[in-house]
């Protein structure tokens, strides 16, 4: 089987999830005659939600790019590979809820644990997707460079490690653990993708 249907489904789910993120941004209802200062207070009061939106959008973009990179080298699929991708998309679709939870309850450890677990599961499934496809060249070409396979695995582990770190920090300092996710694009940029 080819991978075209998977890629189309992945693109659609990511587009919807990334769009739904913006629905978490809403000002509370206020009466008429809102002053400039009051609007400033309302907007700055939403800072946690704006940051949650931005970090979630960037993380989804990273997961989409990584899946796109994997799909470039994965030339065929099978039933197990299809289900790996279905479970991956199930947790992609959960990101808008996780983001809303962190935006609404930024000081609560449980909200950050839930978000971190969502990112951890996504990173783990995507890493497993690459491992499954490249193990004994199951779904990739036989001439795919082993260094490219290895670097793909290394890049996948970055998000796993960072999300575990963020979950750990959420028990101690939940207010700042969301900033840890900024390490994912930085560290993945250090590991060069070399097919």
């Amino acid at each position: 089987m080819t991978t075209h249907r998977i890629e189309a489904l992945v693109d659609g789910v990511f587009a919807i999830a990334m769009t739904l993120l913006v629905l978490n941004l809403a000002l509370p209802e206020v009466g008429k005659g809102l002053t400039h200062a009051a609007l400033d207070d309302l907007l700055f009061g939403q800072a946690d939600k704006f940051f949650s939106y931005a970090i979630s959008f960037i993380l989804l973009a990273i997961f989409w790019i990584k899946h796109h990179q994997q799909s470039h080298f994965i030339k065929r699929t099978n039933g197990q590979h299809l289900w790996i991708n279905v479970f991956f998309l199930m947790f992609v679709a959960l990101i808008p809820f996780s983001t809303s939870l962190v935006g609404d309850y930024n000081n609560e450890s449980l909200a950050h644990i839930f978000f971190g677990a969502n990112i951890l599961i996504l990173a783990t499934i995507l890493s497993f997707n690459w491992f499954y496809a490249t193990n004994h060249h199951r779904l990739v070409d036989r001439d795919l460079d082993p260094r490219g396979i290895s670097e793909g695995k290394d890049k996948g582990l970055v998000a796993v490690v960072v999300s575990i770190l963020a979950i750990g920090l959420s028990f101690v300092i939940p207010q700042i653990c969301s900033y840890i996710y900024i390490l994912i694009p930085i560290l993945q940029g250090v590991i060069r993708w070399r097919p």
Side-chain angles (χ1 to χ4, degrees), residues 6 9-11 13-14 17 59-68 70-71 80-95 118-129:
I6 293 175
L9 181 62
V10 166
D11 288 346
V13 172
F14 267 93
L59 289 174
L60 280 177
I62 290 168
F63 284 121
W64 178 79
I65 290 167
K66 182 146 180 55
H67 192 279
H68 178 71
Q70 288 182 3
S71 297
Q80 291 86 354
H81 182 247
L82 289 172
W83 279 107
I84 291 168
N85 280 270
V86 166
F87 284 115
F88 174 69
L89 293 176
M90 182 171 73
F91 288 97
V92 168
L94 187 60
I95 286 288
N118 196 166
I119 298 299
L120 175 60
I121 292 167
L122 277 173
T124 302
I125 294 173
L126 193 57
S127 292
F128 182 70
N129 185 58

Side-chain angles (χ1 to χ4, degrees), residues 86-176:
V86 166
F87 284 115
F88 174 69
L89 293 176
M90 182 171 73
F91 288 97
V92 168
L94 187 60
I95 286 288
F97 175 77
S98 300
T99 302
S100 176
L101 197 62
V102 169
D104 290 339
Y105 302 99
N106 189 48
N107 294 327
E108 298 294 327
S109 293
L110 185 58
H112 289 281
I113 292 166
F114 191 92
F115 182 84
N118 196 166
I119 298 299
L120 175 60
I121 292 167
L122 277 173
T124 302
I125 294 173
L126 193 57
S127 292
F128 182 70
N129 185 58
W130 183 244
F131 174 79
Y132 180 82
T134 58
N135 189 34
H136 302 296
H137 292 83
R138 182 182 286 126
L139 303 176
V140 296
D141 288 338
R142 290 272 169 206
D143 60 351
L144 183 59
D145 185 356
R147 287 178 302 169
I149 292 173
S150 178
E151 287 169 5
K153 290 176 184 174
D154 293 344
K155 276 192 165 221
L157 291 178
V158 167
V160 171
V161 171
V162 170
S163 57
I164 290 170
L165 178 62
I167 291 170
L169 269 177
S170 67
F171 287 102
V172 184
I173 317 169
Q175 299 85 352
I176 68 159

